[in-house]
Amino acid sequence: MNPTTQTLRTIPTADELENAVQAIAAAMADLDANFIDRTGEIRCAVISLIAEGNFLMYGDPGTAKSAFSRAFAAVFGYDKNATDGASRWYKNQLTKFSTPEDLYGPVSVNGIKNDDYRRVTDRTLADCGMAFIDEIFKANDAILNTLLGVLEERQFVNGNTLVDLPLQMVMSASNELPKPGGPLRAVYDRFTVRREVMPLSNPDDLRRLARLKLRGGPRPTARVDMGHVASLRDARDHVDVGDEIVDAVIASKDELLTSHGIKVSDRAFCASFDLIRANAVLDGRMVATTADLLVLVDSWWLRPEDRAAVNKVLMGHVSADLVDAARIHDAAVEVFGALDLSNLTDGDVGAASKANRELKTMVKEIRRLDIDMTAIADMADAVERMHRAVARAVSAALGF
């Protein structure tokens, strides 16, 4: 969080909070309709925006990471042509040849004449409210140290002056992760929300993507007043985080290290409470619950393969229903993954019909759980999508 904004804010009224939650929920739904199977990425980005943090998307090229960043900025009122720095969106792609001038602007000629080595930072990373830095781990030593201060303290040394930046959120994308122990790990650790962006594979999702492309591509039209985001940030500072939550965070951190060898840094540990509070207010609550611990699933992993262990440990502190939902969801993924729905032969129809019956039972089972919990609802929706895909393929193979 920006240290210049750490003064406790005034709590919004109940109506202000409700209006903000509804406006942002509508914007998230619009983004979800325009970016297929990116519900998790959307929520992660919104959580980071409310928490004033940094969000990293990691994954193969061609998974719409850059397109999503542009659309997200526009939906939440950030524009590269904005006259006000706090409302400006800034984008840059780093390479091994990138220099500080690329990010922060040229050195002022007039400043040099006056022995003041300062930069002209207008419309640069030092003069924006939201930034997208593509391939951030391509950063070289010349800009690495400046990035650390920008990402953590939201400050930049310009000449002889330490400048507080208007920057509220940094979003980044990368096709690779830094090596353990390398100099870029300090940059990586400052991205306290991380999401692996997977290519689409579900036939239904690919069909929706094709239709979206034929209509001209993603074009979300929702626009969120920045005052709504400010209201949720104000509320965030007042969310009650009880001892039960604090103890669960500590216990989870210890269990990950002792049982799985996954180390959660002190920085990530402290940032956890901003994320928990942000998750609570996004759901319209002023009291954190154990369900909010699940926001840390996309914060605490260091390698993508760690995420399952992080998820399992955190779910153990949430609810039995959530554990059951995860079990059903994982079983459904296994059943669905064993099928090739693209070309069912006569010999495959029997296996697909059996899978269809199994998935139908799983849908009923998961819908009996606490569906009001967002994580369970998301898993239930995923299981239902798998069931529909299999049912459609079986019907087509049988000529119905």
Side-chain angles (χ1 to χ4, degrees):
M1 181 171 40
N2 189 334
T4 65
T5 63
Q6 287 183 353
T7 302
L8 196 66
R9 298 168 164 113
T10 302
I11 188 170
T13 66
D15 284 345
E16 288 172 336
L17 180 60
E18 182 179 359
N19 290 339
V21 169
Q22 290 179 353
I24 291 176
M28 292 171 69
D30 190 18
L31 284 166
D32 195 44
N34 281 273
F35 290 91
I36 312 303
D37 195 29
R38 296 293 180 254
T39 304
E41 287 77 5
I42 293 166
R43 189 171 182 91
C44 281
V46 174
I47 291 291
S48 295
L49 183 61
I50 297 170
E52 296 171 276
N54 307 313
F55 173 41
L56 172 67
M57 293 178 287
Y58 161 69
D60 293 340
T63 48
K65 299 185 291 294
S66 296
F68 172 71
S69 72
R70 288 194 299 271
F72 184 86
V75 165
F76 284 90
Y78 295 88
D79 186 336
K80 65 179 181 180
N81 296 317
T83 56
D84 173 27
S87 303
R88 188 173 298 125
W89 182 64
Y90 170 83
K91 176 188 176 183
N92 207 326
Q93 180 173 350
L94 299 185
T95 72
K96 62 182 179 180
F97 302 111
S98 296
T99 65
E101 284 76 12
D102 295 325
L103 287 177
Y104 309 110
V107 175
S108 169
V109 175
N110 290 331
I112 292 176
K113 292 178 180 178
N114 295 308
D115 294 325
D116 183 8
Y117 192 83
R118 58 182 171 81
R119 297 184 180 279
V120 180
T121 59
D122 294 350
R123 298 184 179 276
T124 68
L125 179 59
D127 185 35
C128 68
M130 180 183 291
F132 176 67
I133 305 177
D134 202 5
E135 296 300 339
I136 193 167
F137 300 123
K138 296 286 196 299
N140 54 51
D141 292 342
I143 59 177
L144 179 59
N145 289 334
T146 63
L147 277 175
L148 296 178
V150 169
L151 292 172
E152 182 72 10
E153 288 87 13
R154 300 293 198 247
Q155 292 177 329
F156 172 67
V157 178
N158 194 10
N160 299 318
T161 305
L162 181 63
V163 180
D164 289 324
L165 305 182
L167 189 59
Q168 300 147 40
M169 176 187 177
V170 175
M171 191 182 301
S172 187
S174 180
N175 304 327
E176 58 187 7
L177 296 179
K179 296 178 181 179
L184 289 172
R185 291 297 289 206
V187 174
Y188 182 52
D189 195 52
R190 283 160 169 77
F191 283 90
T192 50
V193 180
R194 304 161 187 151
R195 184 82 179 181
E196 184 178 16
V197 183
M198 303 298 292
L200 299 180
S201 59
N202 185 301
D204 281 352
D205 290 340
L206 291 170
R207 192 174 292 108
R208 290 176 61 202
L209 179 62
R211 289 299 176 192
L212 184 65
K213 173 63 178 176
L214 291 169
R215 292 197 302 269
R219 293 181 180 178
T221 57
R223 294 294 181 265
V224 176
D225 189 298
M226 286 189 174
H228 289 317
V229 177
S231 291
L232 293 195
R233 287 178 181 154
D234 291 345
R236 180 201 67 203
D237 285 353
H238 297 270
V239 170
D240 181 17
V241 180
D243 290 343
E244 177 190 10
I245 307 299
V246 174
D247 291 344
V249 173
I250 294 172
S252 298
K253 179 180 183 293
D254 291 344
E255 184 178 347
L256 281 171
L257 181 60
T258 56
S259 300
H260 301 278
I262 299 172
K263 182 179 180 180
V264 177
S265 70
D266 289 349
R267 177 185 291 110
F269 172 78
C270 292
S272 298
F273 299 101
D274 285 332
L275 300 179
I276 287 169
R277 283 176 150 177
N279 194 69
V281 296
L282 184 55
D283 286 343
R285 292 179 284 105
M286 293 302 296
V287 177
T289 69
T290 54
D292 294 312
L293 293 173
L294 294 180
V295 73
L296 305 181
V297 172
D298 288 309
S299 175
W300 281 7
W301 60 265
L302 298 177
R303 303 168 301 170
E305 54 266 35
D306 294 339
R307 191 179 185 276
V310 174
N311 186 51
K312 181 179 179 181
V313 168
L314 290 169
M315 283 200 305
H317 293 278
V318 180
S319 77
D321 270 9
L322 190 59
V323 174
D324 286 344
R327 174 184 53 79
I328 295 169
H329 174 268
D330 291 348
V333 169
E334 185 174 350
V335 170
F336 185 78
L339 301 172
D340 180 6
L341 300 181
S342 61
N343 185 26
L344 286 181
T345 65
D346 291 342
D348 296 330
V349 171
S353 298
K354 180 183 177 183
N356 184 42
R357 293 191 296 272
E358 292 174 349
L359 288 168
K360 183 177 181 180
T361 300
M362 291 177 190
V363 169
K364 291 180 179 178
E365 289 178 353
I366 201 168
R367 290 292 182 191
R368 293 192 189 105
L369 303 176
D370 184 7
I371 210 69
D372 290 334
M373 188 179 293
T374 301
I376 294 179
D378 289 344
M379 285 188 281
D381 290 343
V383 174
E384 194 157 344
R385 284 197 299 271
M386 287 184 272
H387 171 240
R388 287 200 302 267
V390 174
R392 186 181 298 111
V394 170
S395 295
L398 294 176
F400 295 152

